[in-house]
Amino acid sequence: FTADPITGYKAISNTRATSIKKNDKDLIYNVTYTTNNFGYRKTPNSNLDSTHCLIFFGVSFTIGEGLNDDQTLPYFLNQDLNLKVFNFGFHGYGNHQALALLKSGEVMRITQDCKDYTVFYESIPGHIRRANGFSDWEDLNAPRFHLGNTLTWTNEHKTFWTKIHNKIFTILKNKSYLFKILLPRYTYNKQYNELYFAILQEINSLLQVQFHTELHFLLWDANNLSDDTEIAESQAIIEWLAHQDINAFLVSEILPQYMHNRLQYALHTCDTHPNALANELIAKFLAHKIQSREITTHA
């Protein structure tokens, strides 16, 4: 990890990092992450000569936490497509990072050689709370948006005093137990939905303006392991999508038995990040949609 002025944090560029996770003596995973020049995960089968680019935004599910480079969703999807791949997903991100990357022009800069674009955003219900600033691993450098008459990126421009404020905040959060317990806690409230939805709409609008393409949305909706909060968040997102002109897919409609046996598609009973099987099956589904032109490159 390293600090980043746009997303708050990202991976160090051109790095191979080994990650090992255990539960007592039980190995959950032992994998290696490889990053590119821009500090995002490499997709080994990316066709660097292609001008049709496959772009992914998302979180740890998207970067492929607990999986090797050839087990992620972008990797499996590109087996059938042979496109140039950009995986902008990262551990702990939300849709606020995706919007910041677009509004800052970073995506345009990185993908400037592309002519056609197919874009996915992979979400979990918990991204509602992340969009509203309840991620306790983020400092004040993470992008923050406010919904008033318009959607505003409130900390886009960071001054010297902003950086000092952020530094003090980070020190207090890491060192002071009292400061931690005084920080706001998330309890699901419908009012938090609106910012998350506004960010998604702005992402879709920017994709049309900047790349003449549209957003395709993948939701890991509620399942048999979901608590009441995740169920409420999931239902709210699904109800909202029903009234939007956004091409959306629910994981429950793709993976057999997902609703009743979520662990079948998890890394481990102690870690429900998607396993390689889940990514491979979802990729087959999405590849078919692209090849049948149900998912298009143009808005």
Side-chain angles (χ1 to χ4, degrees), residues 75-247:
Y75 175 86
F76 281 122
L77 180 54
N78 205 43
Q79 283 188 314
D80 292 318
L81 302 178
N82 195 31
L83 308 179
K84 186 184 292 185
V85 181
F86 294 93
N87 184 349
F88 291 103
F90 200 64
H91 312 281
Y93 277 12
N95 62 355
H96 53 302
Q97 268 96 2
L99 180 56
L101 285 166
L102 288 167
K103 288 183 74 69
S104 66
E106 185 73 352
V107 178
M108 290 188 71
R109 181 182 72 85
I110 293 174
T111 67
Q112 58 185 312
D113 294 331
C114 303
K115 294 181 179 179
D116 295 299
Y117 301 83
T118 301
V119 183
F120 291 94
Y121 175 71
E122 188 174 14
S123 182
I124 59 175
H127 287 186
I128 291 175
R129 72 187 73 184
R130 294 185 188 183
N132 284 273
F134 287 99
S135 302
D136 57 11
W137 54 87
E138 290 186 330
D139 62 21
L140 298 181
N141 286 307
R144 290 287 169 253
F145 293 92
H146 173 72
L147 181 61
N149 294 329
T150 59
L151 184 65
T152 306
W153 186 355
T154 57
N155 64 341
E156 178 179 6
H157 305 291
K158 297 176 177 63
T159 65
F160 171 78
W161 293 111
T162 303
K163 294 175 182 178
I164 294 295
H165 182 207
N166 291 348
K167 187 68 173 178
I168 294 171
F169 175 87
T170 302
I171 292 171
L172 287 172
K173 190 177 73 169
N174 292 336
K175 302 293 185 181
S176 170
Y177 178 75
L178 177 61
F179 185 79
K180 284 182 181 179
I181 65 174
L182 290 176
L183 289 174
R185 299 296 180 197
Y186 176 79
T187 302
Y188 176 70
N189 189 309
K190 290 183 179 179
Q191 68 180 4
Y192 294 131
N193 298 345
E194 298 308 314
L195 180 58
Y196 170 81
F197 296 153
I199 290 174
L200 286 178
Q201 287 177 320
E202 184 72 3
I203 289 171
N204 196 29
S205 296
L206 281 176
L207 288 173
Q208 295 184 40
V209 171
Q210 294 179 354
F211 305 113
H212 307 293
T213 191
E214 60 187 344
L215 178 66
H216 299 93
F217 184 81
L218 178 67
L219 177 67
W220 284 79
D221 47 328
N223 52 77
N224 65 302
L225 298 183
S226 297
D227 58 17
D228 290 343
T229 295
E230 185 170 79
I231 291 171
E233 292 167 337
S234 180
Q235 289 174 342
I237 295 171
I238 293 170
E239 290 171 7
W240 179 79
L241 287 169
H243 301 284
Q244 305 302 313
D245 188 22
I246 293 177
N247 204 2

